[in-house]
Amino acid sequence: MESKGIHVVVDPSKCVGCNICELWCSYEHEGVFSRSLSRISVITYERLGFDYPVVCQQCEPAPCVELCPTGALSKGKLGEVNLDKGKCIGCRVCSEVCPYGAARMEPREARYPLICDLCGGEPMCVARCPTNALSLSKVTNVKVKPRNAAEAFAISELRKLADEWGVDVDEA
């Protein structure tokens, strides 16, 4: 999958796993601070000692939009995925076909998916990230420069995971 529009880009070398992005995302969309209601999910890899926020890559074409049986999902002018809750039947197709695992169902009633809509072009997760690990960009590549052998090992492991997530990691 490729993203032609803008999307949230993660610099894993800056993420400290504070989960502030998740909390502000849920507050922006649901009016409550709740990690389970966020459209971004921070995954912690204890073995490697790093955290990685997973968020919609605004794929083009987007399988979730293409396969939505009711047309509840559509692409907006920024390339973002928009949800019409009135049309959604909670069938879970979108969460099952997302190549990055970034679309998941709302946990309370599982009536609709939680998918990043870029907050109208100014994502709250990016604005509130205290370490600037998140940015908004058309670029999908992230440059990471290891400072020691441990970081070099972590980056090599990250490369494997990033490949699964569709993110290119280059050494600076």
Side-chain angles (χ1 to χ4, degrees), residues 121-137:
E122 297 180 24
M124 189 58 72
C125 59
V126 173
R128 297 293 184 160
C129 179
T131 61
N132 296 317
L134 302 175
S135 60
L136 195 60
S137 176

Side-chain angles (χ1 to χ4, degrees), residues 10-18 51 53 129-134 143-144:
V10 177
D11 181 343
S13 69
K14 293 181 179 177
C15 181
V16 295
C18 65
D51 302 282
C129 179
T131 61
N132 296 317
L134 302 175
K143 292 190 182 281
V144 179

Side-chain angles (χ1 to χ4, degrees), residues 44-172:
T44 299
Y45 292 91
E46 298 281 342
R47 188 173 73 93
L48 301 175
F50 74 86
D51 302 282
Y52 193 90
V54 175
V55 65
C56 177
Q57 294 299 297
Q58 313 298 340
C59 302
E60 193 60 51
C64 59
V65 173
E66 300 291 321
L67 297 174
C68 178
T70 63
L73 296 176
S74 62
K75 293 292 263 183
K77 63 182 177 183
L78 298 173
E80 80 280 15
V81 175
N82 291 312
L83 169 67
D84 181 340
K85 289 182 181 176
K87 291 182 178 179
C88 183
I89 58 174
C91 67
R92 301 177 179 263
V93 168
C94 52
S95 62
E96 292 171 4
V97 299
C98 177
Y100 305 108
R104 57 193 174 100
M105 298 304 288
E106 189 272 337
R108 295 176 289 196
E109 299 176 34
R111 293 183 304 118
Y112 59 89
L114 301 173
I115 300 176
C116 176
D117 61 3
L118 297 175
C119 299
E122 297 180 24
M124 189 58 72
C125 59
V126 173
R128 297 293 184 160
C129 179
T131 61
N132 296 317
L134 302 175
S135 60
L136 195 60
S137 176
K138 289 185 174 183
V139 178
T140 58
N141 292 348
V142 175
K143 292 190 182 281
V144 179
K145 182 178 181 181
R147 292 174 291 193
N148 53 48
E151 286 185 3
F153 172 72
I155 290 170
S156 70
E157 293 297 310
L158 172 63
R159 251 191 211 99
K160 296 173 191 170
L161 295 170
D163 188 48
E164 292 176 23
W165 301 330
V167 176
D168 293 327
V169 177
D170 297 324
E171 289 187 35

Side-chain angles (χ1 to χ4, degrees), residues 6-24:
I6 59 173
H7 64 279
V8 175
V9 175
V10 177
D11 181 343
S13 69
K14 293 181 179 177
C15 181
V16 295
C18 65
N19 305 101
I20 287 175
C21 55
E22 294 174 323
L23 297 174
W24 278 102

